[in-house]
Amino acid sequence: HVTSRTILRWMDDGIFDATIAPVESLRAAGRLGDAGNPLPAPWLTAPGRGALIVVGPWESPLREALLSIEDRGARLELIAERTLAGIVASWGALACGVEARCRQARLDLSARVFPADGGPPVHATRSGEGSAQGALRLASIVARELDEAGGSRWGGVGPTDS
């Protein structure tokens, strides 16, 4: 897993001439002054960006209180994004941007994979059922499309059927 700080260090070392990094990463590294113009929307981010998780005892009163404020759509988005990112991580790609949006019973998933060989990025977008199983299925479908569009650039490693 390569972080924004690592990429900024590589820039300082002359490995990269430029990079795309989240504003918050630049701010945290004290490098906001290095930023150019923001990219136009939509820009696909790291999977699960902005998701919150609660860690602690899962006792009944706490569980009931948390379940009452859970955002079902956000949970489905996170399932789809993290599942797809897990599949793509096994390919050895340089980076993967992904965004899921849940709207009622529909889940949209978009991803862009940047191959390590420096070739052009591969993009796929699909829609599917807004359920936990639908999120898993949709991630698999988008991974398959990315793999097919990438051809042999993943070194023969692509998604498995699930």
Side-chain angles (χ1 to χ4, degrees), residues 8-153:
L8 291 171
R9 189 174 65 248
W10 289 343
M11 282 186 59
D12 292 340
D13 293 344
I15 295 171
F16 294 134
D17 295 326
T19 187
I20 298 170
V23 170
E24 289 307 315
S25 295
L26 293 173
R27 186 183 334 269
R31 305 276 301 262
L32 196 54
D34 293 344
N37 295 327
L39 295 171
W43 180 252
L44 303 176
T45 63
R49 189 72 168 190
L52 300 175
I53 186 168
V54 175
V55 178
W58 199 236
E59 299 165 358
S60 184
L62 176 62
R63 181 177 188 277
E64 294 305 315
L66 292 175
L67 286 175
S68 70
I69 62 170
E70 180 188 36
D71 183 336
R72 178 186 165 278
R75 177 178 290 276
L76 297 177
E77 292 167 15
L78 184 61
I79 290 170
E81 290 178 4
R82 301 274 321 251
T83 301
L84 179 58
I87 295 168
V88 171
S90 71
W91 301 349
L94 179 61
C96 173
V98 61
E99 180 179 47
R101 288 286 175 239
C102 187
R103 292 176 180 86
Q104 296 167 345
R106 176 184 159 153
L107 184 62
D108 302 322
L109 182 61
S110 292
R112 179 163 287 142
V113 177
F114 296 84
D117 68 6
V122 178
H123 183 262
T125 299
R126 283 288 178 182
S127 296
E129 174 190 342
S131 68
Q133 285 301 314
L136 295 171
R137 219 175 2 261
L138 186 58
S140 180
I141 290 167
V142 170
R144 191 171 298 113
E145 286 189 15
L146 290 167
D147 185 45
E148 290 170 0
S152 62
R153 294 192 303 180

